[in-house]
Every structure is written in structure tokens, then in C-alpha cells.
Amino acid sequence: AKCQEKSVSSSAGAKCRLKLDKGAGNLITFSQFLYIAVQGFISTSKWGRKKSAIPLTAYLFVDLLFFLTNVINNYALSFNIPIPLHIILKSGSLLANMILGILLLKRNYGKSTYAAVIAVTIGISICTMASLSAKSPVVSGDDATINSDVREMWIGTGMVFVALFTSAYLGIQQEQLYKKHGKHPKEALYYTHLLPLPGFLLLYSDIRQHINIFSQPQCSSLTVTLVVTLRKFANLLISVLYFNNPFTLHHWIGTVLVFGGSLAFFQASRKSSASTQDQNVDKGTTVTKSKND
């Protein structure tokens, strides 16, 4: 579904906050479920007046799998797993789908499909080992801390793989549901987000804990505005190319300035962040030395 400009802006801010507070995943997921449920109540169920085409009881198991998959993925981020690795591991759903397809649906696949899955699996393995290697050479003088970080990352990786298989099984259950009752995508979207809402009561303490962190401006408004501006510019370029409008020299100049300015902004932000961290480390070292003296 196409995102509106406001939702893109809030999504950009949410990703910034998630990067700084990985435990906020359940809060973000709850907000997403609540938003889609409210929107579906208005547009899909017509304020509760329209009866569902599929019995609500048929959705229960599908909704449970969907809820568990999201929650497991959220908690995986709390176990010191880098967000890029988390995204890459979630891309391994192809492997999980194939395995469950063979075991549960007795499906046969061609050699090219097996080769593609093997390539994806190797790629995921390389990224995982690279992330582990990046953790190991950290020079902190505390081997216990390093080992703890690596152990937590393995736990997080394992949780992502569990979520992969629950997600794949969810796909199979949805397929069976649609075969039996027919496809009703808007209704399914609505009820798969509405019915699991009571489950978030089990996560109430966790969600409440991160509301204050989430509501604080962790990302500057300038950063979020830049992301939205880039999105608008990308839409402009796509519209120019799609409708065969002329792409003049002025367009090329504008393109270079936009991407060049964006690159300069992010480089400056990274240097500023690194400088702030170095200053904090220096202050901490000075305080420690003064206490020892």
C-alpha cells in the first residue's frame, strides 16, 4: 500500500528511534496494529456494520502466528543483534518457505530454485559471520563483555530464525484459509491487526516503559525532514521518467545537488556523532583518572 506523506515522516522518525532504542519494537508494532485496526474499522467493516466474509474463528490461529512473529522479531533486536543483520536474516524467508513447503505440502522444486535458496543461505551465513567478526575485535579490555555481546547476538539470531519459520507457517495457513473461504485481502488485513490487539496487554509494562523514550525527539527534525524531502525528490524523478517528460540539464544539476547535499549532510552528522562520543569517552577517562589519583 502506498504510504501518505505523514506516515512516511513518522516511519522515518520511528526508524531513528528504533536504532537508538531497540526495545521500542513492541511499542512501534502496537502503534501499527492499532492504526490499521482503526482504519479498517472505518473503511473495511463500515463502522462495524459489515459482516465478515470469513468466520472470525478462522482467523484466530492465523492471528496468533502473526502476533508471535512480530513480537519475536521485536525481542530479537533487544539481544544485541544489529539492525542491518536483522533485516538480512529476515530476507531468508525463502529458505523457511521452501523447507515447510517440502515437509508440510510435499512440494517439489526445480534445480534453479534450490540453487537460489542455497545462494541466499550462503549470503546470510556470510553476513552473520561478518557481524560476529565485527563484534570480536572490539578492544575494551573486558573479555566477559565481548563474550556476552556475542552470546546475546547468537540468541537474537536464533530468535529471528524462529520468527522466519513461524512467518512461513503463517503463509501456509493463510493459503489454506483462502482456499477454503476465498480471498478477502482487505478484510484479512483488518482482522489480523484487530484481533491480536488484546495480546499487547501482556506487553503492557514493556510498551509503557518505552513510551517516554519514544516520545522524546531522538532524531532531529532536520533529519526527518531530509528523509521526506528525498522521498519527494525520488517521486519527482520517477514521475519524470514514467511519463516520458524531458529530463533537461537543469534536472541533472538538481539531481547532483540533491544527492550531493544529502551525502554531505549524512557525513557531517556521522562526524558530529563520532566527535560527541569521543568527547564523552575523554570526559569519562578524565573522571576515572581523577578518582584514582
Side-chain angles (χ1 to χ4, degrees):
K2 294 184 178 179
C3 297
Q4 296 179 352
E5 184 173 313
K6 290 184 178 179
S7 65
V8 171
S9 176
S10 61
S11 176
K15 289 180 180 179
C16 290
R17 291 173 175 84
L18 185 59
K19 183 177 180 181
L20 295 174
D21 180 24
K22 293 182 179 180
N26 287 329
L27 174 60
I28 296 173
T29 301
F30 170 70
S31 302
Q32 174 191 344
F33 273 56
L34 182 62
Y35 172 78
I36 295 177
V38 172
Q39 186 184 50
F41 178 74
I42 297 172
S43 61
T44 303
S45 71
K46 307 300 180 184
W47 300 90
R49 296 192 301 268
K50 184 178 178 180
K51 186 178 180 180
S52 61
I54 300 177
L56 296 184
T57 53
Y59 282 115
L60 292 180
F61 187 59
V62 171
D63 290 348
L64 176 62
L65 290 174
F66 185 55
F67 177 76
L68 289 177
T69 300
N70 280 277
V71 171
I72 293 173
N73 273 318
N74 291 338
Y75 276 115
L77 286 172
S78 301
F79 281 89
N80 204 32
I81 180 172
I83 292 179
L85 177 60
H86 184 264
I87 296 173
I88 293 171
L89 290 174
K90 287 177 67 176
S91 301
S93 57
L94 182 64
L95 174 64
N97 281 320
M98 172 177 281
I99 292 176
L100 292 186
I102 294 173
L103 295 178
L104 301 180
L105 302 179
K106 309 300 180 182
R107 289 177 175 170
N108 295 318
Y109 300 95
K111 294 181 179 179
S112 59
T113 305
Y114 285 111
V117 171
I118 291 173
V120 170
T121 305
I122 293 175
I124 291 175
S125 302
I126 292 174
C127 291
T128 304
M129 297 309 297
S131 297
L132 287 172
S133 299
K135 291 282 183 183
S136 300
V138 177
V139 180
S140 63
D142 191 348
D143 293 337
T145 302
I146 298 175
N147 292 333
S148 176
D149 288 345
V150 173
R151 183 169 58 252
E152 283 192 5
M153 189 174 142
W154 274 117
I155 295 174
T157 301
M159 293 179 71
V160 174
F161 275 109
V162 171
L164 281 179
F165 281 93
T166 58
S167 178
Y169 189 53
L170 167 64
I172 292 176
Q173 290 300 315
Q174 286 178 324
E175 184 178 336
Q176 300 299 322
L177 182 69
Y178 293 153
K179 282 184 179 179
K180 184 176 181 180
H181 299 283
K183 290 186 177 182
H184 304 276
K186 291 184 178 180
E187 178 186 294
L189 179 67
Y190 168 53
Y191 284 110
T192 51
H193 287 80
L194 172 68
L195 298 181
L197 282 177
F200 286 99
L201 291 174
L202 301 174
L203 308 173
Y204 172 75
S205 59
D206 178 75
I207 293 174
R208 183 180 180 182
Q209 178 184 354
H210 292 93
I211 285 178
N212 292 332
I213 301 175
F214 188 77
S215 61
Q216 294 173 0
Q218 301 289 351
C219 287
S220 67
S221 59
L222 180 60
T223 301
V224 177
T225 303
L226 177 64
V227 173
V228 176
T229 302
L230 287 175
R231 178 251 186 187
K232 291 179 179 177
F233 181 71
N235 287 339
L236 175 62
L237 290 181
I238 292 174
S239 65
V240 168
L241 296 175
Y242 182 78
F243 292 106
N244 296 321
N245 291 324
F247 201 78
T248 65
L249 176 62
H250 294 90
H251 287 100
W252 283 111
I253 294 175
T255 302
V256 172
L257 289 175
V258 168
F259 283 103
S262 302
L263 181 61
F265 174 85
F266 284 114
Q267 289 295 332
S269 299
R270 291 179 60 184
K271 289 181 180 179
S272 176
S273 177
S275 176
T276 303
Q277 292 177 359
D278 291 341
Q279 289 177 2
N280 292 335
V281 171
D282 291 340
K283 289 180 181 179
T285 304
T286 303
V287 171
T288 303
K289 287 184 178 179
S290 62
K291 288 183 178 180
N292 292 335
D293 293 340

